[in-house]
Amino acid sequence: MSTSIIEQVQVKELVARGIVKQFPGVLASDHVNFDVHSGEIHTLLGENGAGKSTLMKILYGMYRPDAGEVLINGTPVRFHSPLDAIRQGIGMVHQHFMLVPTFTVAENVALGLPSSRRVVLDLDIVSRRIEELAKTYGLHVDPQAKVWQLSVGEQQRVEILKVLYRGASLLILDEPTAVLTPQEVEEFSETLRRMINEGHAIVFISHKLHEVLALSDRITVLRNGRVVDTVLAADATKEGLARLMVGREVILQVEHPEVTYGDVRLAVHGLSANGDSGLPALRGVDLEVRASEILGLAGVSGNGQKELAEVIAGMRSSTSGQVFFDGTDVTGSLPGKLLDHGLSYIPEERMVDGTVRDFSVEENLILKDHHRQPYAHGVFMDFTKIASESDRLIEAFDIRTPSRHTPLKSLSGGNIQKLILARELSRNPSVLVAAQPTRGLDVSATEYVHRRLIEQRSAGTATLLISEDLDEILNLADRIAVIYEGRIMGIVERGNVDVEQIGLMMAGVSEQTTK
Amino acid sequence: MNQRKMGDLLPRLIPILAVLLALLVGAVMLALLGTNPWEAYRALFIGAFGSTNALADTIVKATPLLFVGLGICIAFRGGVLNIGGEGQLVTGAIAATAVALAVPTWPGWIIVLMSLSAGMLAGAIWGGIAGLLKAHLNVNEILSTIMLNYIAVFGMNYLLRGPMMDPLQIKLGSFTPQTARLPRSVDLPRLIPTRLHLGAAIAVVLAFAVYVLLWRTTIGFRIRTVGKNLRAALAAGINTKRYMVLSLLLAGAFAGLGGAVEVLGLHHRMFTDGSAFGFTGSAGFNGIVAALFGQLHPIGTIPAAFLLGALLTGANKMQRVMQVPSALIGALSGLIVLLVVGSEIFHRRQIRRADKRNSELEDAVDAKEDS
């Protein structure tokens, strides 16, 4: 580690003892004990709000604990900022990448560090060091490549390289696998293994139970700010972990009853569209969804899923191709007309496309039907009916809110998603486009959304389920289409799914070649 | 509990605190000019509220502010920034004048109705143009409404120096740029024997109508949705372009009606000093202040317009009594605008900061709810 820029100690062991962090009205960390030593992957598992991020931020110097102490190699340490944590050999890879897209890999790694040649850049030395690190840990990436040219998986490698380059021996990884294909997850876990073999310590944060089981040595489960249990991964099961997280039995795999498919409700033919940057994002997509069918669209983030959902929902114009609802060409129609055709849309960006944050719960619930019976007579709105219907939906969809007048912005993510579900599903849709319906939701909320989607399937809705969570798609979908760079790489029936093959298609290998 | 009450009350008090602060700074400026601030403010107060006439003048001054302010409530709630109140007042006034002069012999109440409608329509067109430009060509409405102000003023100057000039002025050879006096049959009735005319009552009634429009009808719901979140509005099936145009059109209509009321109720003719100010007294801009002062709520805009009207009327009096330069009055009202708008932005930023804090806490709060 002689080339490391900052003088650091090797973290052999980090121990957090009796950590307490109080926020107004909430105890976010309640006497938490946690430790991790070199050569081990220790996972933090918990629902949203369990206190994972609070603990992580304390370990990385972003928060200061109200009580308790953190010891590194037996010596108590006090962090006033992440810089102190970095000096102690702690590095963090954030869920959202912090890279400059127009810079090269080497430039991004060197960013913020002093050059060994003072005012003259030492990018050649940096590049050589990156190549060394890449070889040691299997983090293959070209130091001269510009970041914008890299895939999401490669960008993540750059983030890890950045941390390693700074000489970190304890790495905190916040939901690192959320953006990877199954194969990339394989490579990633290989990298983690190499890192712990080199004597690094890793704190891993995730809520994907099977990955947690596969990757970790130990697992600490948090609930309501308290440590529920610390278990060895070898002794744990998915069901057991879910029970520890939620505090009750959880159905991880929702039942998928037999249904008879109806006519084609949603059809997309040769659909092409541009992304926000004006470059083609969809290149001739063909899809059909029948009544009582869930078509899952799998793919790595940013391969045209968002654009496809938006074109079907009338929020984006296509450059060629058609969209049919029940055989009627609705290409280029405004959302208003599509709503009349029975479209419901659960958008990826809840707070941007799905809700008005400054409006009340009630106003958000009637957003799409405010002008219809029973909410309005002519131009005048009927507030008695709006109140009774809102209360009914709040009850039926278990939206936790102080009242129907509460501003939406003070609801939690899970409750906002329940509100959107309540609004979209109570319209009894003929076609449902659900984009990332459980992103950011915890296990219980996810379970709830899945159950509702299956209920809607039984009610005859044709659902296009777009998700980056492959497990979700495998759980819910009748057929699975895989999208890569705006093209459908293949469609697989539920009965004969080969995850390996889907993973290859997600990485751009077409169905024909994989067979 | 007490804290919560303070939290609710404080945002409502902010505009009042801003005015007090402006008056305080004004007092320093007065003192620097060698005037006794206490005396000066006394003159201002008496000028605004000291007699029936003063009070009536205050209300007369407040009336166009309220008309413009009501339109601003709609526009700003709809997410469009209408800076075109001046031009809309002027076009409304010209249209009202032209109609009244065209058919002077018709029954008075018919001319009044036609004249007010014409004013409203002209203002609506003036605002609507900016709306169409924004919705279909993505032209920033702040720029377009300001440009339309200039067009309205030059149009007014042309008309009042040319086709619409009072024939008497031409005969006398004085060529004062003004129209003939409107037929007396179209004078809006006086409410009490002062200058106070029916216009003020119309404006107050319309304030309640705007409240109903914004919070009791589907049209208002859509305007507010478009204003708060354009994309969510589109996804909800709202024709966002149409409602963008409508917001500006309604804002223009209210200002245009305000201009028509000024002509029929107060001036009884149209005149110009070459700028918009001569006719409007900057009501097109002060109306924005009134609306912001009233928290963009039509009912709140009533007292806000009244207070601003009082300030303007009282300041005139103060200027006369205390012999302070008229620039000081401009500086004082400028200060109030700055502080009111500034405090509004400050308040919003605080809300945003509180939101951010909340979202950081959200996780933890969730956990608490579940337990």
Side-chain angles (χ1 to χ4, degrees):
Chain A
M1 283 288 151
S2 56
T3 40
S4 136
I5 307 298
I6 309 160
E7 275 315 308
Q8 283 157 327
V9 277
Q10 156 95 20
V11 179
K12 293 226 161 51
E13 186 190 39
L14 177 141
V15 179
R17 242 189 255 149
I19 299 289
V20 176
K21 180 72 185 174
Q22 172 90 46
F23 289 115
V26 202
L27 201 52
S29 290
D30 185 359
H31 297 90
V32 170
N33 296 318
F34 180 79
D35 67 279
V36 57
H37 52 79
S38 106
E40 140 182 273
I41 301 178
H42 193 159
T43 296
L44 275 175
L45 187 66
E47 300 230 88
N48 292 342
K52 288 178 307 210
S53 36
T54 306
L55 181 59
M56 184 178 79
K57 284 174 180 165
I58 288 170
L59 294 182
Y60 194 55
M62 291 164 88
Y63 291 160
R64 266 189 263 179
D66 299 333
E69 54 177 358
V70 178
L71 300 101
I72 289 180
N73 301 340
T75 320
V77 286
R78 278 189 163 272
F79 298 152
H80 299 284
S81 76
L83 206 58
D84 291 341
I86 292 169
R87 289 208 184 95
Q88 293 286 346
I90 298 176
M92 179 155 167
V93 175
H94 296 269
Q95 200 175 350
H96 303 285
F97 301 153
M98 308 198 174
L99 299 169
V100 184
T102 52
F103 279 16
T104 65
V105 171
E107 283 167 337
N108 268 287
V109 169
L111 200 64
L113 292 176
S115 164
S116 59
R117 297 191 192 120
R118 291 169 191 278
V119 294
V120 180
L121 284 174
D122 59 349
L123 287 173
D124 51 327
I125 302 177
V126 175
S127 297
R128 236 173 294 136
R129 175 80 186 123
I130 290 174
E131 277 164 8
E132 277 172 42
L133 285 170
K135 205 182 285 170
T136 316
Y137 298 106
L139 291 162
H140 300 294
V141 57
D142 174 11
Q144 310 311 329
K146 302 255 195 235
V147 163
W148 63 265
Q149 299 169 319
L150 304 181
S151 73
V152 180
E154 287 172 313
Q155 290 186 27
Q156 186 170 54
R157 282 178 223 156
V158 179
E159 282 285 2
I160 296 172
L161 281 169
K162 252 168 74 180
V163 173
L164 290 173
Y165 188 89
R166 283 159 174 72
S169 47
L170 174 91
L171 282 86
I172 304 173
L173 308 173
D174 184 12
E175 305 232 2
T177 57
V179 292
L180 304 180
T181 65
Q183 279 83 358
E184 282 174 322
V185 172
E186 287 285 311
E187 287 173 34
F188 177 74
S189 59
E190 178 57 28
T191 299
L192 292 192
R193 284 286 142 206
R194 288 200 199 186
M195 287 199 274
I196 58 172
N197 287 341
E198 291 286 316
H200 288 82
I202 291 170
V203 179
F204 181 62
I205 291 154
S206 175
H207 62 258
K208 291 189 181 173
L209 294 173
H210 68 100
E211 280 173 14
V212 168
L213 281 171
L215 284 172
S216 332
D217 297 305
R218 283 192 296 157
I219 300 161
T220 289
V221 183
L222 290 168
R223 191 168 76 226
N224 299 341
R226 264 173 248 137
V227 172
V228 184
D229 204 355
T230 299
V231 295
L232 290 175
D235 302 337
T237 62
K238 267 200 222 178
E239 289 71 21
L241 288 176
R243 201 183 321 116
L244 286 176
M245 275 165 79
V246 184
R248 61 176 170 83
E249 288 296 331
V250 180
I251 300 131
L252 289 175
Q253 182 142 15
V254 66
E255 220 181 308
H256 203 263
E258 285 289 320
V259 288
T260 328
Y261 304 126
D263 297 333
V264 172
R265 286 271 177 83
L266 167 69
V268 165
H269 293 317
L271 199 65
S272 295
N274 291 336
D276 289 335
S277 60
L279 298 170
L282 292 179
R283 307 154 199 259
V285 170
D286 292 294
L287 288 175
E288 288 191 342
V289 193
R290 292 165 287 177
S292 292
E293 181 182 45
I294 296 179
L295 176 69
L297 186 69
V300 176
S301 164
N303 275 292
Q305 295 97 318
K306 180 171 161 246
E307 287 80 4
L308 180 63
E310 286 182 354
V311 170
I312 296 174
M315 298 291 289
R316 180 182 291 272
S317 48
S318 53
T319 47
S320 67
Q322 288 109 38
V323 181
F324 295 91
F325 280 14
D326 287 318
T328 315
D329 189 344
V330 292
T331 318
S333 300
L334 282 175
K337 198 180 157 204
L338 301 175
L339 291 181
D340 295 338
H341 271 281
L343 168 80
S344 275
Y345 176 40
I346 300 171
E348 179 175 337
E349 304 261 5
R350 273 166 229 161
M351 299 307 283
V352 181
D353 294 344
T355 52
V356 182
R357 49 181 284 118
D358 291 328
F359 274 14
S360 65
V361 166
E362 162 185 85
E363 285 175 307
N364 273 291
L365 277 170
I366 62 163
L367 207 56
K368 291 195 173 171
D369 293 300
H370 62 274
H371 56 297
R372 284 181 234 268
Q373 297 275 4
Y375 301 141
H377 310 291
V379 296
F380 288 99
M381 300 177 81
D382 183 340
F383 286 91
T384 329
K385 283 278 163 43
I386 291 172
S388 60
E389 273 299 290
S390 299
D391 284 339
R392 192 181 66 75
L393 289 174
I394 289 169
E395 169 93 35
F397 284 80
D398 188 31
I399 303 166
R400 305 228 185 132
T401 170
S403 88
R404 60 172 189 274
H405 302 297
T406 306
L408 178 102
K409 61 188 171 197
S410 52
L411 264 57
S412 71
N415 281 308
I416 288 172
Q417 191 69 336
K418 280 182 186 171
L419 184 150
I420 294 176
L421 275 179
R423 184 182 68 213
E424 300 300 325
L425 301 187
S426 64
R427 316 181 70 242
N428 201 13
S430 146
V431 172
L432 170 66
V433 176
Q436 318 294 351
T438 60
R439 176 185 281 174
L441 303 191
D442 57 33
V443 180
S444 351
T446 300
E447 179 195 8
Y448 183 85
V449 171
H450 286 177
R451 202 153 46 75
R452 285 286 181 177
L453 290 179
I454 290 291
E455 272 173 30
Q456 209 57 47
R457 168 178 175 268
S458 302
T461 300
T463 304
L464 175 63
L465 170 67
I466 299 172
S467 177
E468 280 148 28
D469 182 350
L470 191 51
D471 292 336
E472 175 166 88
I473 287 188
L474 294 174
N475 267 342
L476 300 178
D478 295 272
R479 285 185 301 143
I480 299 163
V482 182
I483 192 165
Y484 175 77
E485 292 194 340
R487 289 193 188 86
I488 300 296
M489 304 307 289
I491 297 179
V492 187
E493 295 285 335
R494 181 183 179 81
N496 39 26
V497 166
D498 172 6
V499 177
E500 190 74 7
Q501 185 201 357
I502 289 178
L504 286 172
M505 289 198 282
M506 282 166 76
V509 184
S510 73
E511 192 179 17
Q512 284 70 33
T513 356
T514 60
K515 269 183 179 161
Chain B
M1 188 62 211
N2 240 336
Q3 236 181 348
R4 172 165 260 146
K5 263 195 184 147
M6 274 297 290
D8 286 350
L9 207 60
L10 199 65
R12 287 172 208 283
L13 286 180
I14 281 178
I16 305 206
L17 293 176
V19 172
L20 290 179
L21 190 62
L23 291 179
L24 201 69
V25 177
V28 173
M29 295 199 305
L30 284 165
L32 287 175
L33 285 168
T35 313
N36 180 342
W38 177 249
E39 288 291 314
Y41 283 144
R42 221 173 77 88
L44 188 148
F45 188 83
I46 291 172
F49 308 110
S51 64
T52 318
N53 263 320
L55 202 58
D57 273 356
T58 288
I59 298 175
V60 166
K61 258 282 195 271
T63 302
L65 304 189
L66 183 52
F67 275 110
V68 174
L70 292 177
I72 295 297
C73 286
I74 299 173
F76 282 26
R77 291 271 173 191
V80 285
L81 301 174
N82 177 31
I83 316 293
E86 292 282 280
Q88 292 149 8
L89 275 169
V90 164
T91 46
I94 288 178
T97 309
V99 167
L101 288 175
V103 287
T105 53
W106 291 20
W109 63 274
I110 292 185
I111 311 179
V112 168
L113 283 182
M114 283 174 49
S115 195
L116 292 180
S117 309
M120 213 164 169
L121 186 70
I125 292 172
W126 221 242
I129 293 172
L132 288 170
L133 286 172
K134 179 179 174 67
H136 297 285
L137 298 171
N138 208 12
V139 177
N140 183 307
E141 76 277 16
I142 298 178
L143 292 178
S144 63
T145 50
I146 291 176
M147 294 303 163
L148 283 162
N149 284 346
Y150 287 114
I151 298 173
V153 169
F154 289 122
M156 167 179 76
N157 289 343
Y158 163 73
L159 288 170
L160 297 189
R161 290 192 177 117
M164 284 177 77
M165 189 186 272
D166 186 356
L168 188 68
Q169 293 291 332
I170 299 169
K171 210 158 78 191
L172 293 174
S174 53
F175 297 105
T176 311
Q178 64 179 35
T179 66
R181 195 200 186 284
L182 304 191
R184 291 195 184 271
S185 62
V186 307
D187 289 5
L188 291 182
R190 300 277 159 103
L191 296 179
I192 44 171
T194 53
R195 296 205 303 159
L196 183 60
H197 54 84
L198 185 67
I202 298 176
V204 169
V205 170
L206 283 177
F208 286 91
V210 171
Y211 171 77
V212 171
L213 174 81
L214 281 176
W215 280 282
R216 291 283 176 261
T217 69
T218 55
I219 299 165
F221 185 84
R222 290 177 187 183
I223 287 176
R224 289 187 296 117
T225 309
V226 169
K228 285 288 185 192
N229 184 343
L230 195 63
R231 281 190 63 97
L234 183 64
I238 296 168
N239 187 332
T240 50
K241 291 186 183 205
R242 187 184 296 163
Y243 282 86
M244 228 181 249
V245 177
L246 184 68
S247 298
L248 271 166
L249 188 139
L250 285 174
F254 277 97
L257 181 61
V261 164
E262 285 292 277
V263 170
L264 299 193
L266 190 63
H267 304 302
H268 310 298
R269 59 153 52 93
M270 190 66 195
F271 57 92
T272 179
D273 69 348
S275 73
F277 180 82
F279 172 71
T280 65
S282 282
F285 294 125
N286 290 330
I288 301 175
V289 182
L292 289 174
F293 202 12
Q295 315 261 309
L296 294 179
H297 195 293
I299 309 301
T301 306
I302 300 173
F306 177 75
L307 278 177
L308 271 179
L311 190 76
L312 295 172
T313 315
N316 266 334
K317 176 83 173 171
M318 176 173 89
Q319 192 189 332
R320 266 179 276 124
V321 174
M322 307 300 295
Q323 299 294 314
V324 292
S326 65
L328 185 79
I329 306 303
L332 204 59
S333 61
L335 259 175
I336 292 181
V337 174
L338 205 65
L339 285 163
V340 169
V341 176
S343 66
E344 190 65 28
I345 293 168
F346 171 76
H347 178 223
R348 252 182 243 154
R349 189 173 302 162
Q350 281 216 314
I351 290 176
R352 217 176 305 139
R353 220 172 271 161
D355 278 358
K356 208 178 146 203
R357 229 174 15 240
N358 281 343
S359 70
E360 271 170 18
L361 285 181
E362 198 175 83
D363 294 358
V365 173
D366 255 12
K368 202 178 157 200
E369 268 175 18
D370 288 342
S371 61

